[in-house]
Amino acid sequence: MSIDRLTRIIIVLWLCFSATVTAAKTWQHEQGTLTLSEAPKRVVALNWAATETLLLLGVTPVGVADKAGYSVWVQEPELPESVPDIGARVAPSLEAIAELKPDLIVTSSEMAPATDLLERIAPTYVISVYTQGSRPFEKAREMLLTLGDILDVEERAHAILTDIDNTLAAQRERLRQHGVTDQPVALVNFLDDRHVRIYAPNGLYQTTLNELGLTNAWPHNGNYWGFSVVGLEAIAAYPDSRVVVIEPTRPELSDHLAHSPFWTYLPAVRRDEVYQIDAVWPFGGVFPVKRLAMDLTDALLQGGTDNVR
């Protein structure tokens, strides 16, 4: 073989190698790095924030965790019925995941002990929106943009954030025009007829309140998920607050509250300043911030009552 021919072969091999290296991209995540040579097509999501984000980006997961709960608590973006359930969020079935032959798994640090096992199935990206000291919306935004990059839909990711910004600004203007931003709001989920989960300033919902020009009636930081569990009497300490009840609620709750001195004593109840909105997942990605803004604005403008429905 001549030297010229050998040189040409070497050049061709080097160009092929260089193209492969150039095509591969690497992303840092909480448990290491993720390197891919092309955008994934078959993605498994092991928490609802990841599921929501993928759907926003126009990517239907090939498998999700806790599928049934998603339709109750998260609801939007809608998850197609055809998507397989691969088990619980805290303990998914590795066998079920492997059978789906994913080329990307998206999870959080809650699954950290299983990361090595997941990596044996497919490349795994680990990001946690909710950790001690985190700023949920900023982390959710990071997840959206990074997954947009990984999935080669960056323009769509940026368009989603622009739409959220525009929606927040529009809802803030609606509230301003009607002069209903002056009273604080307490955002709650009922656990039973005596106790609620109240959402705190360090949670995802606070982003919506800030952008709408509303004050959170509950001034204390909660756990790293952004809530505290309190009795109804704790809300009475903030007599100027309006109470916003986030569904779902039990069918018999209204009757129980109507005869509850803890409930009927609340100033908001006496002033008919109880508002109710559809379920909005408080531990999701960026989309709940937009959805809460629209639902909360609509509820405040429609007026309150003295009880839940």
Side-chain angles (χ1 to χ4, degrees):
M1 180 182 296
S2 69
I3 294 178
D4 287 346
R5 186 178 179 187
L6 178 61
T7 300
R8 285 196 298 271
I9 291 174
I10 292 173
I11 291 173
V12 169
L13 290 174
W14 171 250
L15 290 174
C16 291
F17 174 76
S18 298
T20 302
V21 171
T22 302
K25 292 183 68 174
T26 298
W27 297 268
Q28 188 74 37
H29 63 81
E30 293 171 8
Q31 300 295 324
T33 58
L34 168 71
T35 300
L36 298 171
S37 58
E38 60 182 1
K41 303 298 183 186
R42 300 181 57 80
V43 188
V44 166
L46 298 188
N47 60 63
W48 291 341
T51 300
E52 167 213 313
T53 302
L54 290 171
L55 291 170
L56 281 178
L57 291 169
V59 176
T60 300
V62 297
V64 299
D66 279 333
K67 175 184 174 180
Y70 184 95
S71 64
V72 175
W73 290 97
V74 186
Q75 298 184 6
E76 292 186 76
E78 185 176 357
L79 179 67
E81 185 60 35
S82 59
V83 176
D85 189 322
I86 46 83
R89 285 170 289 165
V90 294
S93 167
L94 297 178
E95 293 80 6
I97 296 172
E99 288 177 2
L100 294 171
K101 296 181 171 56
D103 45 23
L104 178 67
I105 300 170
V106 184
T107 186
S108 66
S109 59
E110 292 170 300
M111 289 291 295
T115 301
D116 289 345
L117 297 176
L118 294 172
E119 286 278 8
R120 296 178 189 176
I121 299 172
T124 301
Y125 179 68
V126 184
I127 183 167
S128 305
V129 177
Y130 301 89
T131 57
Q132 194 66 44
S134 72
R135 302 166 77 93
F137 185 74
E138 291 182 10
K139 290 295 292 185
R141 187 178 183 276
E142 176 189 338
M143 177 168 63
L144 175 75
L145 292 174
T146 303
L147 285 176
D149 188 20
I150 292 171
L151 297 165
D152 198 23
V153 287
E154 295 167 273
E155 288 188 10
R156 180 160 181 155
H158 286 286
I160 290 166
L161 293 175
T162 298
D163 174 64
I164 291 173
D165 288 342
N166 292 340
T167 300
L168 291 169
Q171 304 312 307
R172 181 184 182 116
E173 181 61 18
R174 289 178 67 201
L175 291 173
R176 188 195 66 78
Q177 288 180 356
H178 288 82
V180 293
T181 59
D182 54 335
Q183 279 181 272
V185 294
L187 302 172
V188 304
N189 281 124
F190 269 92
L191 302 177
D192 56 40
D193 57 5
R194 284 280 309 277
H195 301 88
V196 296
R197 179 188 286 164
I198 192 164
Y199 292 95
N202 62 314
L204 182 68
Y205 285 166
Q206 189 63 39
T207 297
T208 299
L209 295 180
N210 290 344
E211 295 301 319
L212 293 182
L214 294 169
T215 301
N216 193 337
W218 189 251
H220 312 292
N221 278 350
N223 56 25
Y224 66 76
W225 292 101
F227 72 88
S228 297
V229 174
V230 301
L232 290 175
E233 64 277 5
I235 302 175
Y238 307 95
D240 294 335
S241 67
R242 295 168 283 185
V243 175
V244 178
V245 179
I246 304 170
E247 296 183 357
T249 58
R250 300 194 322 272
E252 70 276 11
L253 180 62
S254 179
D255 290 339
H256 287 172
L257 292 179
H259 298 92
S260 166
F262 298 97
W263 176 249
T264 55
Y265 169 76
L266 292 179
V269 174
R270 295 181 176 183
R271 294 192 306 264
D272 288 346
E273 290 187 337
V274 177
Y275 306 83
Q276 192 162 340
I277 63 176
D278 290 340
V280 181
W281 186 235
F283 317 122
V286 297
F287 189 73
V289 169
K290 171 185 174 178
R291 187 171 177 203
L292 177 62
M294 295 187 296
D295 289 356
L296 179 55
T297 299
D298 287 345
L300 293 177
L301 295 185
Q302 289 167 7
T305 64
D306 64 354
N307 206 343
V308 300
R309 296 189 294 270

